[in-house]
Amino acid sequence: MINDTIAIIADIHGNIDALEAALEDIDKQHISKIYCLGDLIGIGPFTNEVLACLTERNDISSIIGNHEESILALKRGEPYPERSRKVRPHHEWIAENLDSYFIPWLENLPRREKIIWGGLTLLLQHYHLRSDKELLSIAENPYEPVDYNPSLAKIEEFYSREEIDADLVCFGHHHPVHLYKTQNRIYLNPGALGCYHKPLARYAVVHNYNNDLSVALKEVPYNNENLLSAYEKWDVPKKDYILSTFHSQTPFY
């Protein structure tokens, strides 16, 4: 018999205030484990604060996202992804200010992780990733292009080709919430926790009762004044683009 609850978070994007609000809410519940789906840093300015918060807890397990991989590529002098050229000055600023203490931890994060949970299998990844692209460098575009009009039919078609054996497929990267259920599988994107046009930290709670899964989507309000003022105070590179694209009242997906 299993009766257990986990939390799924994604796309913190260097927003320490949103992360702390979500964790405070999670800690009020009977949640045994928190899984983070990548893009811990980038976009938001609180890189070291977010990484310190994540690494200080023993109940959080993370995978890597494209922002971490792009920043690590800069740190190592490796090819940088062409598709991210618009935010390269921002990534260079983050790389310059990244505490070297966190680099080995980031470098050891996997792209994909399978978790056995009772009699079920969970697949965790930053975004849809074909098996034949899993070992490509970040500059070689390993992830599928973002589908801005997702549907269950398209996601099912992709994963039927990949023959993924999983009861719950979790991903982030595309910032809106995705929750699709079939007879045999759930596809879940909890929505970006720290990169949203409203001051709400989003995450999901998944309950497993005797291998029957249920999902609850959560939104936690937080004060985003500290976040928004930091862009100006530190003159964060590409701040105008970041603020208008990711934190304005008009959502951009």
Side-chain angles (χ1 to χ4, degrees):
M1 177 177 178
I2 183 169
N3 185 7
D4 192 24
T5 305
I6 61 173
I8 306 293
I9 64 177
D11 297 279
I12 301 166
H13 283 296
N15 186 341
I16 187 61
D17 299 287
L19 176 60
E20 289 179 341
L23 292 177
E24 181 179 355
D25 195 62
I26 289 169
D27 288 342
K28 297 174 184 176
Q29 305 168 64
H30 296 291
I31 289 173
S32 63
K33 188 74 176 181
I34 304 167
Y35 293 102
C36 182
L37 306 178
D39 277 3
L40 322 173
I41 59 177
I43 303 301
F46 295 104
T47 301
N48 296 318
E49 292 85 350
V50 163
L51 295 177
C53 182
L54 294 174
T55 56
E56 285 168 1
R57 294 180 60 126
N58 59 15
D59 60 346
I60 299 178
S61 178
S62 298
I63 60 174
I64 201 164
N66 59 290
H67 279 260
E68 289 85 57
E69 290 204 59
S70 298
I71 291 161
L72 288 174
L74 290 172
K75 294 290 288 186
R76 295 191 290 242
E78 297 173 354
Y80 179 82
E82 175 64 20
R83 70 185 181 282
S84 299
R85 63 188 182 280
K86 185 178 288 188
V87 293
R88 179 165 182 157
H90 176 74
H91 280 166
E92 290 173 340
W93 179 79
I94 290 176
E96 182 180 350
N97 291 282
L98 173 63
D99 189 331
S100 60
Y101 173 82
F102 298 115
I103 292 177
W105 183 80
L106 289 169
E107 290 180 326
N108 283 310
L109 295 180
R111 274 187 178 162
R112 174 182 277 172
E113 188 169 10
K114 274 193 173 183
I115 306 294
I116 303 302
W117 191 26
L120 303 179
T121 300
L122 281 57
L123 174 64
L124 311 175
Q125 56 192 3
H126 185 56
Y127 196 58
H128 312 313
L129 181 65
R130 282 172 32 187
S131 55
D132 62 341
K133 291 187 174 183
E134 192 169 354
L135 299 180
L136 294 181
S137 73
I138 194 62
E140 296 173 291
N141 300 330
Y143 298 101
E144 291 295 287
V146 171
D147 183 353
Y148 292 102
N149 295 290
S151 68
L152 173 58
K154 288 191 282 186
I155 291 177
E156 277 278 89
E157 194 274 333
F158 175 80
Y159 283 99
S160 65
R161 283 187 283 115
E162 286 297 295
E163 298 182 349
I164 296 293
D165 178 23
D167 302 284
L168 174 64
V169 175
C170 298
F171 59 93
H173 189 52
H174 189 199
H175 292 172
V177 170
H178 303 68
L179 180 57
Y180 299 110
K181 300 179 182 180
T182 70
Q183 185 175 354
N184 300 314
R185 183 177 292 163
I186 297 175
Y187 299 96
L188 171 64
N189 176 345
L193 186 150
C195 208
Y196 192 33
H197 65 285
K198 299 177 183 179
L200 297 171
R202 297 176 292 177
Y203 71 96
V205 170
V206 183
H207 184 66
N208 182 351
Y209 183 73
N210 288 340
N211 298 320
D212 183 20
L213 296 180
S214 60
V215 177
L217 299 171
K218 302 287 189 176
E219 290 186 339
V220 183
Y222 70 97
N223 188 335
N224 65 353
E225 292 179 4
N226 181 48
L227 172 74
L228 298 179
S229 64
Y231 287 100
E232 299 298 331
K233 180 173 66 176
W234 295 334
D235 195 22
V236 175
K238 306 300 291 187
K239 64 178 183 293
D240 292 338
Y241 167 74
I242 291 169
L243 289 169
S244 64
T245 301
F246 298 108
H247 295 295
S248 74
Q249 293 304 304
T250 302
F252 174 83
Y253 298 138

